[in-house]
Amino acid sequence: MFTNFKLKIEPVQPSEEIKNKLDIVDFIKDYIQLTPAGMNFRARCPFHNEKSPSFMVSPDKQIWHCFGCGKGGDIFKFIMELEGIEFVEALRILAPKAGVNLKRQDPREASERMRLLDIVEISRRFYHNYLLDSPDAKSAREYLAKRGLDKGTIEEWQIGYSPEAWDGLLKELKKQGYNEREIEKTGMIIEQTQRKSFFDRFRGRIMFPINDANGNAVAFTARVSPEREATEQMGKYVNSPQTVLYNKSQTIFALDRAKQAIKQNDQVIIMEGQMDAITAHQFGYRNVVASSGTALTKEQIAMLKRFTSNFALAFDVDDAGHMAADRGIRETLKQNINVTVIEVPNGKDPDQCIRENKNSWDKALENAKHMMMYYFDRTFASLDLSKIEGRRTAAAKLLPIIASMENNIEKSHWLKALAESIGVDEGVLREALQENAKNTREYRRDETPSPLEPYKKVEISREGQLSELFLAILMKFFELIDFSMQSMQVEIVKGDYLRDIYKYLILFYNSSRNNKDNRNASKPFDLNDFKAFLENSPKKAIIDKSAERLNYENLNDQLAIVDKLVLLGDKEYFDYDFNSAKAEMIRIIILLKKAFLGKKMKDIEARIARSESSNDEKTSRELMKELKLLSDEFRELTK
């Protein structure tokens, strides 16, 4: 080890065990598309909009950092930022992926969100076991078999059945230590205000769990039992209400199961109904999700875009299906996504088509239309283009869609196609298109900003940027530490937060030389050793909170800066050898020294002016001598 301090020996914490077992690159690849960049990987940042990829992941150091928005950290920080969750929930998500068993927490000690997740999970198991074991669920089992769902599919999707008793689930949850008020927050029960009592929301229904993107059950869709369908007054389907766990506009049915296949196929097939998606998965179409009967939202599109930019919509052919497809397409146009439309043959929904004639479904997939061709065909089918009214209506319907397109080449192509189809001069349509584009911009300006809007980047001075590069190259080529200590004084590093890190790098290196095991003194820089040194050092960093510098206020933030600097070194100097790295360090040191001396000389000149105005000749002469020494040093640097 580099360090000469003693660490307290403690059992390995679950978080460390998870980080040891999970590879950060493989994990992040499940969420965004990574491409190799030297020894590391890069991508477009999922936390802010950018055209050029500035998001870096290091497989060697198991960290990530975005040089655009400044976010960074380890595997836990990634999932916490991406899903907007706390550490405990990230632990719960990552543990099963790593094969780590977490100690069951006393429900009374868990956070509210974790308690609510547990309530829905217990409900899911309760319904599933009731479907498998209860005689009361016989008709539900027969219905699912009739719909073609095999036992493996029922088990995979944890389909269940809710008993007809008014408080069957409520009793089970209370037995597990949960009270009515928190159960109500999950939407699993309803309060009867007059009697001041609670009853189960779902009774006598086939239960389809709805999971979030990480596989946590957060809600349910409940289908009425077949024998009660004719007399049911609440409708065939009843869904969980909006809760703190379940936001319908931000949840995509089956995404937790489909995301890997979506990445592998570089395409997502979006269906309307949940049974459509379940049947598709059973028949091997694993890149399928469902919109749960509604149009795609901005948030859902942003989630899917993490995995692919190719969307295929397969909505039912009835009017409601066309409306859902229409709204979904219009929303995708705003996010520069490639959209095709799968037209299911013979007026069937995807579920029925796949079960009855898989070849017919495969042909529909193969013949999927570009979304604009889908609009052209739909629009022209109901119009007489030989009449001016028909041509005017066609232009009125299609121009707003073309105006919404982000890609100018595609926009020009479809504008020309429309002009040819309706026999109108392209220039006339282009003028109308510009008016539509203006209206589209005004509409977007009024929209509520997305939670994924770019974070405001903190500006730092040129000397601050050079200081970051100096430390980055030093960490990558740590054998330059002796040279840097001889050539670069600590005070020349710009910014207290970077100056502190340089101080600790020197202390870290000296501690290794003082160690009895001197063989480790020549060991390359070890990120984990250095972090352990920072965490155990009696001297904590003094953070400057002046406006020019970033407001890092604690050790965790300092560790995040170290991660950033390490990745910066990998990003900027991945193909450097020792000699080129040393030459680059010399160049940076000269630039920093010149900036440092220049500022110092300006300060002395100001002091000379003040001393001359007050006739303080002695101070003026001393300052002149100091200025001359600095000027000579500055000239040496410029040679």
Side-chain angles (χ1 to χ4, degrees), residues 7 9 68 87 121 131 152 169 174 193 239 262 278 287 310 373 379 420 494 500 569:
L7 292 174
I9 304 300
F87 175 79
E121 173 62 17
L131 173 72
L169 177 65
K174 289 178 73 173
T193 53
N239 297 318
I262 292 170
I278 293 172
N287 60 327
N310 299 307
M373 186 56 67
T379 301
E420 292 175 352
K494 182 70 171 178
D500 285 331

Side-chain angles (χ1 to χ4, degrees), residues 3 37 152 154 213 216 226 261 270-271 416 449 462 485 515 536 578 638:
T3 54
I154 291 171
N216 294 314
I270 305 166
M271 296 180 176
K416 183 177 181 180
R462 178 172 176 267
M485 288 192 297
N515 198 318
N536 288 272
F578 175 82
T638 57

Side-chain angles (χ1 to χ4, degrees), residues 161 270 376:
Y161 187 78
I270 305 166
F376 272 49

Side-chain angles (χ1 to χ4, degrees), residues 504-516:
Y504 281 118
L505 282 170
I506 294 170
L507 291 171
F508 175 61
Y509 174 66
N510 287 334
S511 73
S512 70
R513 292 199 301 184
N514 295 332
N515 198 318
K516 292 180 181 179

Side-chain angles (χ1 to χ4, degrees), residues 12 29 53 57 71 83 129 146 185 194 210 231 237 259 262 313 390-391 393 508 515 540 560 572 599 613 636:
V12 177
K29 274 183 177 178
V57 185
K71 290 182 175 292
E83 303 295 349
N129 291 333
K146 185 178 178 182
K185 288 181 180 179
Q194 291 179 342
I210 300 173
T231 59
Y237 288 94
K259 57 189 178 185
I262 292 170
L313 304 182
R391 296 195 291 272
T393 301
F508 175 61
N515 198 318
K540 300 302 181 187
E572 298 295 333
K599 186 176 184 300
S613 65
E636 282 295 317

